[in-house]
Amino acid sequence: MYYYLSVGSNIDPEINIARCLEILLENFATAVVYPCTYTQPECIITDRVFINTLLVIRSNLDPVSLKAFFCSVEERLGRDRTDSERSRKDRTCDIDIITCSDDYSLSYFQACDESYLQQVLCASSHKVAVALFGSYFADRPATIYFDAAARDKLIIDYKSYALEDGFEARFSR
Ligand SMILES: Nc1ncnc2c1ncn2[C@@H]1O[C@H](COP(=O)(O)OP(=O)(O)OP(=O)(O)O)[C@@H](O)[C@H]1O
Ligand SMILES: Nc1nc2c(c(=O)[nH]1)N=C(CO)CN2
């Protein structure tokens, strides 16, 4: 099953978005990741700018189990999930499941209503380079492969076929 995710942070976002992506790569090995994008807060009263991104992972977990895992990642990065007001507050990390499907298609992201998520998809919005395991991931969507056992742990593939073929790209061409 492919899971289509959004990630956001507005407390030390450069650090927390990178750490969140590293944890997701450590656990799911491959992800198609959109560039990290500065976005103004929406529907939440705060002066702190957000960084948002969108990504696709593959998992055999069901949505409830996967969401529970994402909650644990949020907590690991310092979010207080016991706070009933947390949706209205600044956050170190928020991981949401947008949708899941047996199909791999980036067009699922086009249906996102939130302007801050549309800005992630827009090539001309304000991107930020983040360091993932020491490698900079910058201003284009990419398929990112992580291999904990390898010396060069991270491969960032920016080629267009890598996005079209997603998780199969590394093996099929
Ligand atoms: N531990 C959990 N296990 C499974 N599903 C959960 C868990 N916590 C929340 N959910 C579900 O995830 C969805 C999003 O809720 P969540 O609590 O993550 O929002 P939030 O991150 O606090 O809010 P926001 O994304 O608006 O800031 C809801 O449908 C909720 O029912
Ligand atoms: N820019 C931005 N604004 C938000 C975000 C977010 O991730 N980015 N998340 C919200 C609730 O989850 C509310 N508002």
Side-chain angles (χ1 to χ4, degrees):
M1 183 78 90
Y2 292 101
Y3 284 90
Y4 296 81
L5 311 177
S6 78
V7 177
S9 168
N10 73 338
I11 297 176
D12 296 331
E14 293 82 2
I15 294 166
N16 283 312
I17 283 283
R19 191 69 199 107
C20 175
L21 291 176
E22 287 179 343
I23 293 170
L24 295 178
L25 285 163
E26 278 170 340
N27 281 275
F28 301 99
T30 301
V32 171
V33 188
Y34 276 79
C36 297
T37 306
Y38 283 114
T39 64
Q40 291 306 315
E42 290 173 23
C43 310
I44 159 174
I45 300 164
T46 179
D47 293 332
R48 289 173 178 268
V49 71
F50 275 80
I51 294 176
N52 283 99
T53 189
L54 292 163
L55 67 153
V56 190
I57 58 163
R58 195 160 53 180
S59 172
N60 293 325
L61 291 179
D62 63 86
V64 172
S65 306
L66 195 62
K67 178 66 191 180
F69 172 70
F70 293 152
C71 291
S72 75
V73 175
E74 292 178 9
E75 284 174 337
R76 200 168 143 188
L77 292 175
R79 191 172 190 200
D80 180 3
R81 297 251 351 144
T82 64
D83 183 349
S84 59
E85 295 294 301
R86 66 182 182 279
S87 293
R88 286 187 275 276
K89 292 187 176 175
D90 297 325
R91 72 284 312 268
T92 50
C93 178
D94 178 26
I95 308 171
D96 290 326
I97 298 173
I98 292 170
T99 191
C100 57
S101 172
D102 288 328
D103 297 330
Y104 170 77
S105 170
L106 297 178
S107 63
Y108 285 112
F109 288 131
Q110 306 299 333
C112 291
D113 290 332
E114 295 86 347
S115 154
Y116 57 85
L117 297 182
Q118 288 303 321
Q119 289 170 54
V120 173
L121 298 174
C122 174
S124 61
S125 54
H126 185 185
K127 309 301 182 193
V128 52
V130 296
L132 303 177
F133 303 107
S135 298
Y136 273 94
F137 167 59
D139 55 354
R140 282 171 295 155
T143 305
I144 304 182
Y145 307 93
F146 176 77
D147 183 350
R151 196 164 62 89
D152 294 320
K153 289 181 179 175
L154 204 68
I155 297 171
I156 301 177
D157 191 343
Y158 289 109
K159 295 184 201 71
S160 59
Y161 68 71
L163 285 185
E164 284 154 22
D165 297 353
F167 295 69
E168 313 308 330
R170 195 177 174 189
F171 309 105
S172 62
R173 303 207 192 192

